[in-house]
Amino acid sequence: MSEDLDILLCAPRGFCAGVDRAVEIVEKSLQKFGAPVYVRHEIVHNKHVVQNLENKGVIFVDELDEIEDKTRPVIFSAHGVSKKVYEDAEIKNIQFIDATCPLVSKVHREAELLNKQGYQIILIGHKNHPEVIGTMGQLPAGEVTLIENIEDIKNIKLNKEKIAYITQTTLSVDDTKDIIDALKIEFPNIKEPIKSDICYATTNRQAAVKNIAAKCDVFFVVGSQQSSNSKRLVEVAKKNGSKESYLVHQEFKLPIDLIKKSKCIGVSSGASAPEVLVDRLIDQIKEIRNIKVQDVEIIKENVEFKLPRELREN
Ligand code: SF4
């Protein structure tokens, strides 16, 4: 028998306070209103979570038009929605419950305030990500300019004197810093958010991966292919010394040969991945090798968000 394989488990990992809250909002809505309740867009980007909720009577739709029974409530996902979606729900007389993460709402309010103060707003984010669509949709079309990388900076057309930037909450901390540095060179007076828009959960999960990546022969990040923060964790692991880094999603096949010849494997999970999927991965590795599992915690998280008023018990 070969020597034991070390598994370093990143902490913090997995569900963040915004995802916890969003899932609880759906569960509480099912209790309060009965099934079915509708959810616009995947409540969080994880198939396991979505399928569990479907089994309990949730119907997922992409748009409000797909809601067949408009007497039932609809929940808006943790990624946030544009203003038009709230207005459409009101016009169609559909009751809605908003599960937008409060840290995404914070960016929405920032955008509105900057716009009122006459700033041209640059949003750093990923095109077509639901959060980016929601954030851009807080203001009329053309008021927010999206950039995805440093190259995009040269295409920014200034139409106001004052300029400010905001960001998506789940970006790579290091890559975003490079984009911000380049923005500051191009626009020395650019206004910054008082506190980074990249959320605490994204920041902590990336720092935890960075902390151990160089020690690991292989790195696994449990998360879905749609999950921005999970994909960023794979990139962070690769950039920081663990070249063989993989996103463990539903269709992923474990690289058995790599596992057989590794001394140390790092494991983390994105903010929308439940811990049961991490346990499942460890069990699968255990079928291939004897393992020694060690938690490597860099910070304790104690963030909690309140439920929306209509679902609070008192
Ligand atoms: Fe909120 Fe951050 Fe979690 Fe997104 S990743 S839901 S912004 S806490």
Side-chain angles (χ1 to χ4, degrees), residues 245-314:
S245 297
Y246 300 92
L247 184 69
V248 181
H249 52 83
Q250 268 202 334
E251 286 92 44
F252 180 76
K253 299 258 176 306
L254 278 186
I256 295 176
D257 289 344
L258 267 181
I259 294 173
K260 280 185 181 160
K261 61 184 188 207
S262 295
K263 286 200 168 87
C264 178
I265 291 183
V267 174
S268 184
S269 53
S272 45
E275 190 62 11
V276 59
L277 298 182
V278 175
D279 294 342
R280 200 177 288 172
L281 169 68
I282 308 273
D283 286 345
Q284 285 173 327
I285 298 174
K286 223 192 269 177
E287 284 171 16
I288 305 167
R289 295 276 301 271
N290 287 333
I291 58 172
K292 263 194 316 205
V293 181
Q294 190 193 337
D295 256 295
V296 187
E297 182 171 71
I298 55 153
I299 188 169
K300 278 219 183 315
E301 289 180 344
N302 55 5
V303 179
E304 265 180 53
F305 298 128
K306 276 192 194 159
L307 290 174
R309 195 164 294 125
E310 60 265 48
L311 295 176
R312 282 183 218 153
E313 261 138 39
N314 43 44

Side-chain angles (χ1 to χ4, degrees), residues 97-152:
I97 301 152
D98 193 1
T100 302
C101 175
L103 299 181
V104 175
S105 300
K106 167 203 161 249
V107 180
H108 291 181
R109 300 294 76 78
E110 259 169 21
E112 279 188 315
L113 186 64
L114 290 165
N115 182 255
K116 261 193 208 138
Q117 293 170 338
Y119 282 91
Q120 179 166 346
I121 301 168
I122 312 286
L123 168 63
I124 307 171
H126 298 293
K127 197 174 174 189
N128 297 332
H129 188 277
E131 183 188 323
V132 164
I133 295 170
T135 301
M136 294 186 78
Q138 299 307 302
L139 294 170
E143 291 292 337
V144 180
T145 306
L146 177 67
I147 63 167
E148 296 189 278
N149 48 46
I150 292 179
E151 287 70 55
D152 288 345

Side-chain angles (χ1 to χ4, degrees), residues 67-295:
I67 295 178
E68 280 178 17
D69 182 354
K70 300 204 170 25
T71 64
R72 304 303 304 165
V74 60
I75 298 160
F76 297 153
S77 79
H79 311 96
V81 294
S82 61
K83 284 252 166 75
K84 182 157 184 328
V85 176
Y86 297 111
E87 287 160 14
D88 280 354
E90 266 158 26
I91 291 168
K92 292 181 165 70
N93 213 8
I94 303 172
Q95 181 189 0
F96 64 84
I97 301 152
D98 193 1
T100 302
C101 175
L103 299 181
V104 175
S105 300
K106 167 203 161 249
V107 180
H108 291 181
R109 300 294 76 78
E110 259 169 21
E112 279 188 315
L113 186 64
L114 290 165
N115 182 255
K116 261 193 208 138
Q117 293 170 338
Y119 282 91
Q120 179 166 346
I121 301 168
I122 312 286
L123 168 63
I124 307 171
H126 298 293
K127 197 174 174 189
N128 297 332
H129 188 277
E131 183 188 323
V132 164
I133 295 170
T135 301
M136 294 186 78
Q138 299 307 302
L139 294 170
E143 291 292 337
V144 180
T145 306
L146 177 67
I147 63 167
E148 296 189 278
N149 48 46
I150 292 179
E151 287 70 55
D152 288 345
I153 295 175
K154 60 177 179 298
N155 298 324
I156 295 174
K157 292 195 178 46
L158 279 190
N159 49 30
K160 292 185 187 169
E161 269 179 30
K162 297 197 288 184
I163 180 162
Y165 77 82
I166 55 177
T167 81
Q168 192 179 332
T169 57
T170 50
L171 300 178
S172 150
V173 173
D174 292 339
D175 293 350
T176 307
K177 185 183 175 303
D178 293 343
I179 300 174
I180 292 169
D181 288 346
L183 270 175
K184 285 181 180 168
I185 292 171
E186 190 71 22
F187 309 110
N189 296 326
I190 194 164
K191 185 175 167 67
E192 305 192 75
I194 295 166
K195 189 171 177 295
S196 170
D197 291 330
I198 298 180
C199 76
Y200 81 94
T202 300
T203 308
N204 290 346
R205 277 149 194 70
Q206 288 178 18
V209 168
K210 218 170 167 177
N211 182 39
I212 60 163
K215 296 181 195 153
C216 302
D217 306 309
V218 182
F219 212 105
F220 293 128
V221 176
V222 178
S224 118
Q225 283 159 302
Q226 285 78 38
S227 164
S228 170
N229 75 79
S230 304
K231 288 193 282 189
R232 300 295 85 75
L233 292 179
V234 176
E235 291 167 8
V236 169
K238 275 191 186 158
K239 269 195 184 165
N240 288 278
S242 188
K243 297 253 172 311
E244 301 286 353
S245 297
Y246 300 92
L247 184 69
V248 181
H249 52 83
Q250 268 202 334
E251 286 92 44
F252 180 76
K253 299 258 176 306
L254 278 186
I256 295 176
D257 289 344
L258 267 181
I259 294 173
K260 280 185 181 160
K261 61 184 188 207
S262 295
K263 286 200 168 87
C264 178
I265 291 183
V267 174
S268 184
S269 53
S272 45
E275 190 62 11
V276 59
L277 298 182
V278 175
D279 294 342
R280 200 177 288 172
L281 169 68
I282 308 273
D283 286 345
Q284 285 173 327
I285 298 174
K286 223 192 269 177
E287 284 171 16
I288 305 167
R289 295 276 301 271
N290 287 333
I291 58 172
K292 263 194 316 205
V293 181
Q294 190 193 337
D295 256 295

